[in-house]
Amino acid sequence: MTENKDQKKLQGKEQSGLRRLAGRRWFYPALYLCVASLILTGILFFQMRGADQAKDTEEQNRVVFNQDDPSAPLNAGEEVFEWPAAKADTEVIQPFYDADGTEQEQQAALVNYDNTYAQNTGINIGAKDEQAFAVNAAMSGKVTEAKKDSLLGYTVTLKHKNGVETLYQSMTSLDVKLGQEVKQGETLGTAGTSAFNKPMGVHAHFEIRKNGIPVNPEVYMDKAASEVKAVTVGAQKTSGQPSAAEKTKFEEKAPEAPAKKEAPSKSEEKGKSDSSKSMENRSEGESIDQSEN
C-alpha cells in the first residue's frame, strides 16, 4: 500500500509540473517551432536524396545513349590502351616520326636501312636492362596477322573497334595464332631484334593505326579506341615493305660519276689527221711566202 501511495504522489507531481510548464506563455510557441524545424529538416532531406537519385539516373542515361558517339566522353567500363610491356621495366628508345616535331626529334625518329632513311611509324620500346621482355596486347582484339618477316622479325596485328589496329613487330617468338581472340594484357610474344633496325638492339616495335594511318601511340595511352583520330600529316602507311617504317624521300644518293668520253672512230681520227696535216702545210706555205718577201 505504501508503494502505491508513493507512485501516485510521484505521478501527481509530474502532472502538476507539466501543467505548470504548459501554463507558461512561451511553451506552445516553442513547441510549434520545434515541430516546424523537424518538418523542414525532413523535407530538405528528402529533396536532397531525390536530387542525388535524379543525377545518378541522368548519368546512366548519358552513358547508354552516347555509346555510339565517337565524340562522347569515355564510357564506364570501356577499355583504354595500356603499355604493351611491363611499364616499370621498359621505355621508349626511338620515338614516332612527327611531321610537326622539331628537326632534332625528327632525326631521332628516322631509321637508316640499306643507305635509305625511313620514318618510324610507331615507337620502339626497349628494356632498361637491354634484355628480352614479354610483349603484351595493349587492348583486347582479334589477331588478323601473325607471321615471321625476314626484315621485321615476328609480327602480330590486332583488330579493334572503330577502324583501329595495333601492330607488334621485332619479336623473336609468337604466343598467339591467326584468328585468335586475345584479352588486354595477354602475352603476344617476346621482344627481339630485326634486320630492318639493327641499331636498336633488343626491342619491340609498337604501332596504333586508324583506318590504316599510323598515329603516335604515346598520345593515346589511357585512351579508348573511339578517341583515336586519323591524321593527314606525319608518318603515313604505304603499300610496300617494311611496314614498321615506310621508306620516304630521305635517301642518301651517291654522287653521280662524270660521263665518260666516247673513243673517236677511225674516220674521225683520219679526218683529224688530215686536218692537222693541212694546217701544217698551210703554216709552212705562209712561212715560205713571208721569207720570199
Side-chain angles (χ1 to χ4, degrees):
M1 293 294 293
T2 305
E3 291 179 358
N4 292 336
K5 289 181 179 180
D6 293 339
Q7 289 179 354
K8 289 181 179 181
K9 288 181 180 180
L10 288 173
Q11 291 177 356
K13 289 181 179 180
E14 290 176 356
Q15 292 177 356
S16 61
L18 289 173
R19 290 193 189 97
R20 287 196 299 269
L21 184 62
R24 297 182 180 275
R25 294 181 178 179
W26 52 264
F27 174 77
Y28 288 105
L31 180 62
Y32 294 149
L33 287 174
C34 290
V35 174
S37 298
L38 291 174
I39 293 173
L40 289 174
T41 301
I43 292 173
L44 291 174
F45 173 76
F46 285 108
Q47 285 181 344
M48 291 176 64
R49 185 176 179 183
D52 290 339
Q53 290 177 347
K55 185 177 180 180
D56 292 340
T57 302
E58 181 181 356
E59 180 67 19
Q60 292 174 357
N61 292 336
R62 183 183 62 81
V63 170
V64 170
F65 289 114
N66 288 342
Q67 283 181 350
D68 297 327
D69 184 5
S71 62
L74 181 63
N75 297 331
E78 188 175 2
E79 269 190 357
V80 296
F81 287 104
E82 291 183 351
W83 196 250
K87 182 64 175 176
D89 301 327
T90 57
E91 60 187 354
V92 175
I93 57 177
Q94 189 172 34
F96 173 83
Y97 183 91
D98 187 355
D100 294 328
T102 64
E103 183 178 354
Q104 184 177 3
E105 292 171 340
Q106 290 177 348
Q107 289 179 353
L110 290 177
V111 179
N112 189 348
Y113 171 73
D114 195 20
N115 294 325
T116 301
Y117 282 111
Q119 298 173 354
N120 191 19
T121 54
I123 56 175
N124 291 326
I125 301 170
K128 295 177 181 179
D129 59 4
E130 299 182 357
Q131 299 299 313
F133 56 92
V135 181
N136 306 324
M139 180 175 285
S140 300
K142 183 177 181 179
V143 178
T144 57
E145 182 182 63
K147 65 179 183 179
K148 183 178 182 180
D149 187 274
S150 59
L151 284 179
L152 307 174
Y154 284 97
T155 68
V156 173
T157 301
L158 297 183
K159 183 178 181 181
H160 312 287
K161 298 178 180 179
N162 303 99
V164 175
E165 293 178 317
T166 51
L167 285 74
Y168 311 79
Q169 298 169 343
S170 189
M171 293 187 289
T172 188
S173 65
L174 289 183
D175 292 340
V176 294
K177 59 184 179 180
L178 187 66
Q180 181 177 341
E181 295 283 350
V182 297
K183 298 295 183 181
Q184 187 177 55
E186 187 173 342
T187 300
L188 304 176
T190 304
T193 59
S194 69
F196 181 68
N197 201 350
K198 287 183 179 179
M200 288 295 103
V202 177
H203 71 284
H205 181 82
F206 174 62
E207 296 186 20
I208 297 177
R209 293 190 172 190
K210 171 75 171 185
N211 298 329
I213 300 177
V215 298
N216 190 347
E218 292 187 88
V219 173
Y220 291 102
M221 286 295 108
D222 300 321
K223 294 184 179 180
S226 60
E227 297 181 80
V228 178
K229 306 297 181 184
V231 294
T232 56
V233 295
Q236 299 292 322
K237 180 180 178 181
T238 59
S239 57
Q241 287 285 0
S243 61
E246 319 299 348
K247 292 184 178 181
T248 66
K249 62 182 179 180
F250 300 102
E251 289 191 352
E252 292 181 343
K253 295 183 179 180
E256 296 181 358
K260 294 182 179 180
K261 295 183 179 179
E262 296 181 357
S265 63
K266 291 182 178 180
S267 59
E268 288 178 346
E269 289 181 350
K270 184 178 180 181
K272 185 176 181 181
S273 177
D274 293 342
S275 177
S276 299
K277 289 180 180 179
S278 176
M279 291 294 292
E280 290 176 359
N281 293 337
R282 181 179 178 185
S283 177
E284 290 177 356
E286 291 178 351
S287 178
I288 293 172
D289 291 344
Q290 288 177 0
S291 62
E292 289 178 351
N293 293 333

